[in-house]
Structure formats: C-alpha cells, structure tokens
Amino acid sequence: MMSSEDCEVLMVSHGVKPTANRIVVVKALSESDRPMSLSELEYKILSIDKSGVFRALTLFREHQLVHVIEDGGDGVRYELCHSHLGHDEDDDQHVHFYCEQCHRTFCLPATPVPGVGLPEGYRMTSINYMVKGVCPHCGEAK
C-alpha cells in the first residue's frame, strides 16, 4: 500500500494534480493485488460517488497513470502504472492472465510483454497482452 505522499508523487510524475478524491482512488488501486473493475472500486470507495471515481479514472487514463486492461470477462480493469519514464512513456508494461474459471485477472509483473514487430508506417502507442487459461488456485481445485 502506498502512503498519501507516495500517491501524490506518482500523480505529479504523470502530470496529474493531486486532490483528496484522486488520492483515495490511487490508494485503493495500490492496495489491490490485481487490476480492479470500476464496480469493484466503487464498492471499495464508499466516500466518493460513482461519477467521481469514473472521472478520476478517465483523467488517470489520459495521463497514463493507469493501465486499462480488457480482460475478456466483465469489461475493463484498471491498475496503477508505476512507470519511471514520466507520463509520455511507459516502462511498466507486463503480461496479464485471465482465469477462465474464476474470472479474475492477475498481473504478472515479472513477465514482460514480448516485442512486437509492426510493419513500416505503424506506430504503437500502447499494448495489452492477455493470456487466458486456468490460474494455480483453480487448477488445484480439480
């Protein structure tokens, strides 16, 4: 879990002005061990209404403070970007794993996203690398 000061430093490094509500959203994301959906964040943060959480996430997305992961399950999930390159570049890209049995999405931070060679003229702005299968917990349950 990040302190309020750590949250502020991360936000400023991404060009986001820290406010009380934004700090609460960043802290909630930092406390999670996996990417969170909007509804999970709303449930966790009862002190901010749904539109306030959504506005913060939209701003965070615009400033690359969060990664937006489409997991093929119930929509998109959000996780903090701990990039050290500022808000225009990202050195925090990693593989995600979606369990088809428990429908949870996991970060695999030690597994980098493989390089992708694009044809001439194409310029990548982001990448979302999702592996689908069965997580260790669900695999043991069989």
Side-chain angles (χ1 to χ4, degrees):
M1 181 172 100
M2 297 172 62
S3 69
S4 293
E5 294 78 23
D6 291 338
C7 293
E8 290 180 33
V9 168
L10 184 63
M11 284 190 276
V12 169
S13 75
H14 284 268
V16 175
K17 180 182 176 185
T19 65
N21 282 355
R22 292 174 188 165
I23 291 169
V24 169
V25 175
V26 169
K27 282 183 105 168
L29 287 167
S30 76
E31 292 170 357
S32 180
D33 62 348
R34 60 187 183 88
M36 298 180 74
S37 67
L38 177 60
S39 60
E40 288 172 328
L41 279 165
E42 292 167 4
Y43 181 77
K44 184 172 183 150
I45 305 171
L46 300 176
S47 61
I48 304 173
D49 65 15
K50 178 180 183 174
S51 63
V53 174
F54 183 76
R55 281 192 308 274
L57 290 172
T58 300
L59 179 69
F60 295 170
R61 183 178 192 170
E62 291 169 2
H63 288 267
Q64 291 81 40
L65 178 56
V66 292
H67 293 159
V68 180
I69 299 116
E70 298 173 23
D71 64 13
D74 59 354
V76 299
R77 296 185 175 277
Y78 303 87
E79 71 177 340
L80 285 179
C81 174
H82 294 280
S83 176
H84 297 35
L85 299 176
H87 68 276
D88 291 330
E89 297 183 58
D90 186 358
D91 65 351
D92 188 32
Q93 290 289 343
H94 53 268
V95 172
H96 293 88
F97 187 92
Y98 176 77
C99 179
E100 296 172 323
Q101 290 188 5
C102 65
H103 307 288
R104 293 187 300 168
T105 301
F106 301 90
C107 292
L108 304 178
T111 307
V113 173
V116 176
L118 296 174
E120 187 175 327
Y122 290 85
R123 184 177 62 88
M124 180 172 49
T125 57
S126 69
I127 189 165
N128 183 4
Y129 200 91
M130 179 70 62
V131 176
K132 296 181 181 182
V134 179
C135 72
H137 176 76
C138 291
E140 291 174 2
K142 288 213 170 213

